[in-house]
Amino acid sequence: MNAPRSPVEPAQGVGVVHLFCRTTPVTDAAAVVQAVDAAVADGVQVVPVVVLGHKADLAVMALHADLWKLRDLQSALARARLEVVDSYVSLTELSEYAAGLPDDTKQARLYPELPPPGKPAWCFYPMSKRRNVDQNWYELAYEQRRELMYEHGATGRTFSGRVVQLITGSTGIDDHEWGVTLFCTRPDDLKDVVYTMRYDTASARYAEFGPFYTGMVTSITDAVSHLAK
C-alpha cells in the first residue's frame, strides 16, 4: 500500500494548470466528463473551454492549492484518451506592485472564483518581460517599473465590466514568466483589450508574448457533446 502523499501547496494562493487537449478516435467522452466531475467533487475549480482553431479542441483550466489534485485531473483526462498537446503551469500571486490594493482585490487575485458569469469569450497567453540590451525590464529601478505598471493597470481598468483578467505567475515553473487568462463578454472584447494595452510602455517596449488560445467557456458535458459531433 502506498503511503499517504503530502499536499504540495504554495504558501499563499493556488496552483493553476491549463491543459490544451485534442480528441482522438479512442477518446472516451463519458470518461472525460467523469474526470472533470470527480475533480470538481474533490474541490478543484475546473473551467472547460471549446477551443477555436487548429491548436487544440478542448482547454481545461483547473485551480487548486494542492498540485497533486491538478495532476490527478491531468492523469484522469489522459486515461480518457484525450491527447494533451500543450499546457501551462502557474500560481496565483500578488505582484510586487500590489501593496496598496484593497484586501478584497488581493483575495480575488489569490483565490479567484471562476468562471465569472456572463463572460463566455475566453483566451489564454503566456508572456515575459524583455531582457534585451536596450530593453531590459529588470535593469529598471523599482519606482520606474511601478509607474509603468500603474499606467498599464489604469488602461486595463477602462475595460471593467467587459473583461475579467487573471494573471498568474510562472517564473521558474514554466517557459514564460506569467500566464494571462481573459474572460470577456464578447469575442471582440478580447481583441480590444489586448490591442489597447499593447500601447502602454510596459507592454510596447518590454513585453514578449507566447501563443494565444481562444475559445468559448461552457460546461464539460456541453463541450464533450460538441466535440463528439
Side-chain angles (χ1 to χ4, degrees), residues 6 16 19-20 31 36 38 41 69 121 153 156 158 165 192 212 214:
S6 299
V16 185
L19 301 173
F20 300 98
V36 171
K69 293 185 184 291
T158 65
Q165 174 181 262
D192 290 349
F212 279 66
T214 302

Side-chain angles (χ1 to χ4, degrees), residues 84-154:
V84 177
V85 294
D86 198 2
S87 65
Y88 205 79
V89 181
S90 56
L91 305 173
T92 61
E93 66 173 12
L94 292 177
S95 79
E96 59 187 309
Y97 318 107
L101 292 176
D103 287 342
D104 58 343
T105 301
K106 292 179 180 179
Q107 285 296 110
R109 293 187 179 185
L110 288 172
Y111 305 100
E113 295 292 332
L114 299 175
K119 300 286 187 294
W122 179 96
C123 86
F124 169 81
Y125 60 92
M127 64 166 293
S128 297
K129 287 293 196 284
R130 288 183 180 135
R131 294 181 178 83
N132 297 343
V133 172
D134 59 343
Q135 293 172 296
N136 192 329
W137 176 260
Y138 295 97
E139 290 185 339
L140 299 178
Y142 170 77
E143 292 75 14
Q144 186 176 1
R145 286 185 281 113
R146 181 178 61 183
E147 181 180 348
L148 293 175
M149 292 308 298
Y150 280 0
E151 175 197 31
H152 202 50

Side-chain angles (χ1 to χ4, degrees), residues 29-90:
V32 173
V33 174
Q34 291 169 5
V36 171
D37 287 348
V40 171
D42 202 23
V44 180
Q45 287 191 70
V46 183
V47 180
V49 179
V50 176
V51 177
L52 289 166
H54 74 285
K55 297 174 187 173
D57 298 317
L58 175 70
V60 177
M61 178 183 180
L63 304 88
H64 196 278
D66 185 1
L67 302 189
W68 277 115
K69 293 185 184 291
L70 302 181
R71 179 63 228 196
D72 287 343
L73 173 59
Q74 181 177 337
S75 297
L77 293 174
R79 288 193 296 271
R81 299 297 190 270
L82 273 178
E83 180 187 2
V84 177
V85 294
D86 198 2
S87 65
Y88 205 79
V89 181
S90 56

Side-chain angles (χ1 to χ4, degrees), residues 148 151-156 196-206:
L148 293 175
E151 175 197 31
H152 202 50
T155 301
T196 301
M197 296 185 76
R198 283 190 177 187
Y199 282 93
D200 296 335
T201 303
S203 183
R205 184 168 176 81
Y206 294 104

